[in-house]
Amino acid sequence: MRPVQRRQQGLQYGLYLLCMQAINFGVDRIPPATLIGVILQALLYTGLIKVPWNAEDACISAVKLFKYRDWRSFIVSNFEHGSDMHLYYNMVSFILKGSYLELMYGTTNFVLLLALLSFGCSTMYVFLAYMLTQITGDYGYYTMCAIGFSSVLFALKVITICEEHDRSHDIGGLRVPSKIAVWIELALIHLLVPNSSFVGHLGGILVGCLYCYTFIGELIDNLIYMVTGVPVIHEEQFYRRRNLGFR
């Protein structure tokens, strides 16, 4: 999402809705890394976590990276949000995806995967912005700035779909095949939410596809295993282990 306002302190409506959704879902059902991630991003948005930047200053763009070497935005842009409702929708989505994937992969592996996805999404965003500038000649792609966890969430959505195989998904009340669900959602968000970052969302999808459908996914799994000492268990392996009585 493009940054539209400064972080505001206090309990806004979106934060209230987020608390209600977490309670309705069951706080005890949210795995620890996912829950901590939601809490930290909410505290960051409200300003209760003090940081030496403003939300709008943290947005990522190709020009900030290539011309001004603003590496801070490369890291923190994924965790800032432009409004309380932006935070609400992203964190509800994160709860759903994190509760599925963190349980499967394990907390430590999931945290490391999130870090790698965040790095990958920032890299892909800058790459797409640069390439679109070169292809179209539109300098707007080079300077467009975005913040939010949405790109990482789109990557997680692709991974979730990959793990679920051929289950259908509900998009705007329509049941669609899993293979096209993420692309339909990308188009709908772009049409219905004009302030959203199409390039950021597309970048997240591409990062998710790289993890799921290319050798890069195996490289990432091996890297995670080298760091944590715990193999990344995917859906078929996960349920096979449960049926054999392993935890």
Side-chain angles (χ1 to χ4, degrees):
M1 180 177 183
R2 300 183 186 91
V4 294
Q5 64 181 54
R6 291 182 179 274
R7 187 187 304 113
Q8 299 179 20
Q9 294 192 3
L11 183 61
Q12 299 176 57
Y13 184 61
L15 293 170
Y16 170 77
L17 289 178
L18 176 58
C19 291
M20 292 299 99
Q21 286 287 352
I23 292 172
N24 290 336
F25 183 85
V27 176
D28 58 317
R29 294 174 53 204
I30 305 175
T34 301
L35 180 60
I36 291 172
V38 171
I39 293 173
L40 289 179
Q41 290 188 66
L43 293 177
L44 179 62
Y45 173 76
T46 61
L48 294 176
I49 294 180
K50 302 300 181 182
V51 290
W53 64 80
N54 294 319
E56 57 267 49
D57 296 332
C59 66
I60 185 172
S61 69
V63 69
K64 288 178 70 174
L65 194 67
F66 292 135
K67 184 175 182 179
Y68 300 107
R69 300 294 189 269
D70 185 358
W71 296 103
R72 182 176 65 187
S73 64
F74 186 86
I75 298 172
V76 304
S77 59
N78 286 317
F79 307 103
E80 285 281 6
H81 290 84
S83 70
D84 59 323
M85 296 307 296
H86 184 207
L87 175 74
Y88 163 70
Y89 287 118
N90 277 359
M91 292 303 97
V92 170
S93 178
F94 184 41
I95 288 173
L96 296 175
K97 296 173 178 63
S99 296
Y100 175 73
L101 294 175
E102 184 177 343
L103 178 62
M104 183 181 303
Y105 295 161
T107 295
T108 306
N109 286 352
F110 183 66
V111 170
L112 188 51
L113 178 62
L114 283 178
L116 293 171
L117 291 177
S118 177
F119 176 85
C121 287
S122 293
T123 302
M124 185 64 74
Y125 179 85
V126 172
F127 171 76
L128 289 175
Y130 176 79
M131 292 304 299
L132 286 169
T133 302
Q134 298 302 311
I135 293 171
T136 66
D138 185 353
Y139 195 71
Y141 288 112
Y142 198 65
T143 58
M144 64 182 179
C145 222
I147 56 174
F149 204 57
S150 302
S151 59
V152 177
L153 289 173
F154 266 93
L156 290 176
K157 185 174 183 65
V158 173
I159 296 172
T160 300
I161 289 174
C162 182
E163 295 287 2
E164 292 178 340
H165 300 293
D166 295 326
R167 300 177 191 175
S168 60
H169 287 252
D170 188 295
I171 304 294
L174 298 175
R175 301 298 294 180
V176 298
S178 61
K179 292 181 180 180
I180 64 172
V182 68
W183 300 104
I184 293 177
E185 184 173 346
L186 173 67
L188 285 177
I189 290 178
H190 182 59
L191 291 173
L192 299 177
V193 188
N195 201 43
S196 63
S197 173
F198 178 82
V199 173
H201 296 167
L202 175 61
I205 292 175
L206 295 179
V207 168
C209 289
L210 287 174
Y211 178 76
C212 289
Y213 305 117
T214 74
F215 69 94
I216 292 177
E218 186 175 352
L219 293 178
I220 290 175
D221 286 352
N222 290 337
L223 174 61
I224 292 174
Y225 177 59
M226 288 175 58
V227 174
T228 67
V230 179
V232 177
I233 305 297
H234 295 286
E235 187 192 54
E236 293 181 2
Q237 299 167 301
F238 173 73
Y239 287 109
R240 189 181 303 122
R241 283 167 61 94
R242 290 191 63 178
N243 290 335
L244 292 174
F246 294 103
R247 297 292 178 183

